[in-house]
Each structure stands twice: as structure tokens, then as C-alpha cells.
């Protein structure tokens, strides 16, 4: 099985977090897949680690929310290990107050902070736009697929 990108856990320091994210590629790498990254925008894979419930990586079986971007300069590249993954790109109005530092990238709080549709909980009424893009393996070079 392919390895899932590791989540960011509370015990990790901010410097370690920044170094690990930087190793995943520059923001421009994410822009190749997601287009222009903007403040007040989130990107969530709502089908991780797989769109299939019977596909597991470790003890985590899909689908779950994996946070790729939260409006700051840090972004995790898509690395779908199985099936066609749905990446929901949502932009919020000023009515939605969220602190990007309080939303770790990865699985850690994806299901807790986001709805199954990839929208930040508490900001459902503040969505200005939402777009879904889809990619499938190989994880090292994701390809577009029909959503």
C-alpha cells in the first residue's frame, strides 16, 4: 500500500512543522494542481486516504478529510494512493473568522474542523465560492480524473 502523508500533531513544534511542509514542495507546486492559492481559502481532500471504505492505510480507512491548505503559504501536494480523489477548494467571506494556525494540515483535525463536503465548520453560510478538482494516482504525479 502507498503511504499516506503524515498529519501534523500537537506535540510537534512549529519549526518542525514548517520544515516538513517545506519539504513537500513550494506553494507554486500546489498551484500546479489547485490554481492560484488565496487567503481565506481552504483545500480539503474529502476522499482520503481513498474514496473506497475498504481501502486502509494503517488503521485509517477512507474516506476522511485531509487538509491541504488553509489560506497561508503552506500547502501539501496531492498524493492520491487509490481511486479518484475529490479536492474541495472553498473561499470564504470576511464573515468567516478562522486562524490558519489553528487548522493543522493533514488528517489530524480534518474531520473535526471540516464538514464531509470540505467546508470549514461554522462557516457554512460564509462560502463565497467552491470548486472541486479531482486527481488519481500515481501519487508521485497525480492525474486529473472525472469527479
Amino acid at each position: 500500500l502507498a503511504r499516506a502523508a503524515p498529519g501534523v500533531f500537537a506535540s510537534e513544534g512549529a519549526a518542525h512543522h514548517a520544515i516538513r511542509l517545506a519539504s513537500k514542495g513550494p506553494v507554486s507546486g500546489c498551484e500546479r494542481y489547485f490554481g492560484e492559492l488565496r487567503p481565506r481559502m481552504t483545500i480539503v481532500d474529502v476522499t482520503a486516504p481513498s474514496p473506497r471504505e475498504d481501502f486502509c492505510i494503517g488503521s485509517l480507512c477512507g474516506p476522511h478529510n485531509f487538509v491541504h491548505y488553509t489560506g497561508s503559504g503552506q500547502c501539501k501536494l496531492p498524493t492520491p494512493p487509490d481511486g479518484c480523489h475529490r479536492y474541495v477548494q472553498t473561499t470564504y467571506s470576511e464573515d468567516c473568522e478562522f486562524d490558519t494556525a489553528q487548522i493543522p494540515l493533514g488528517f489530524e483535525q480534518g474531520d473535526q474542523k471540516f464538514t464531509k463536503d470540505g467546508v470549514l465548520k461554522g462557516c457554512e453560510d460564509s462560502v463565497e465560492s467552491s470548486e472541486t478538482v479531482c486527481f488519481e494516482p500515481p501519487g508521485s504525479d497525480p492525474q486529473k480524473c472525472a469527479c
Side-chain angles (χ1 to χ4, degrees), residues 71-144:
S72 70
Q74 300 173 344
C75 179
K76 288 200 174 201
L77 296 172
T79 56
D82 176 68
C84 185
H85 285 238
R86 295 176 48 234
Y87 299 84
V88 179
Q89 302 172 209
T90 308
T91 303
Y92 305 91
S93 67
E94 295 291 328
D95 297 339
C96 174
E97 295 184 22
F98 67 94
D99 179 0
T100 61
Q102 298 301 316
I103 306 172
L105 302 183
F107 283 114
E108 182 186 356
Q109 293 184 17
D111 291 339
Q112 177 185 354
K113 298 271 187 185
F114 291 86
T115 68
K116 64 180 178 64
D117 298 316
V119 176
L120 188 61
K121 290 179 180 178
C123 293
E124 294 92 335
D125 295 331
S126 302
V127 173
E128 286 186 344
S129 66
S130 181
E131 177 184 0
T132 301
V133 295
C134 297
F135 296 100
E136 63 186 355
S140 60
D141 183 26
Q143 303 297 307
K144 285 196 172 198

Side-chain angles (χ1 to χ4, degrees), residues 35-57:
E36 180 185 358
L37 303 179
R38 300 176 304 276
R40 311 207 58 71
M41 174 188 206
T42 59
I43 301 173
V44 178
D45 177 354
V46 297
T47 51
S50 172
R52 297 185 356 225
E53 290 184 18
D54 65 339
F55 182 92
C56 304
I57 294 180

